[in-house]
Amino acid sequence: MTEAIGLLEIEGLVAAIEGLDAMVKAADVRLIHSEKRLGGRLVTIIIAGSVSAVDSAIDAGEAAAERIGKIYGREVIANPHSEVTKFFDMES
């Protein structure tokens, strides 16, 4: 069961990779999905883990990514409904 998922939407593939690197180094989270739109100019990274780990990771990822690109959105969803986790092909 996933305790939380975190979403970070970033302008630029390089900024997204920088943000993801900071997230997985900052807390015990795992990458569960990524979306690239507009040829990689808009990237959404989705991570999962405990609520506190996801919250810390999103903070760290946002700080790292915004040094290079623009952040368009961020969200932490605690205790996501099983229908939401199906969207990411996760085990609920």
Side-chain angles (χ1 to χ4, degrees):
M1 182 175 148
T2 300
E3 291 184 44
I5 58 174
L7 299 93
L8 188 59
E9 191 167 61
I10 307 155
E11 178 182 52
L13 183 59
V14 173
I17 292 169
E18 181 73 18
L20 177 60
D21 184 58
M23 286 190 273
V24 296
K25 287 178 178 175
D28 184 20
V29 295
R30 67 188 188 287
L31 174 67
I32 59 169
H33 190 75
S34 66
E35 285 283 328
K36 291 179 254 190
R37 300 283 183 215
L38 306 172
R41 291 181 301 212
L42 186 60
V43 181
T44 305
I45 301 292
I46 299 102
I47 59 169
S50 71
V51 176
S52 61
V54 168
D55 194 44
S56 294
I58 291 292
D59 288 344
E62 181 178 25
E66 72 183 353
R67 288 192 294 263
I68 302 171
K70 182 177 179 183
I71 304 299
Y72 281 96
R74 61 164 282 158
E75 187 63 41
V76 174
I77 302 172
N79 302 312
H81 190 277
S82 62
E83 294 299 313
V84 173
T85 59
K86 283 182 188 177
F87 184 78
F88 301 113
D89 241 355
M90 298 170 55
E91 295 180 19
S92 53

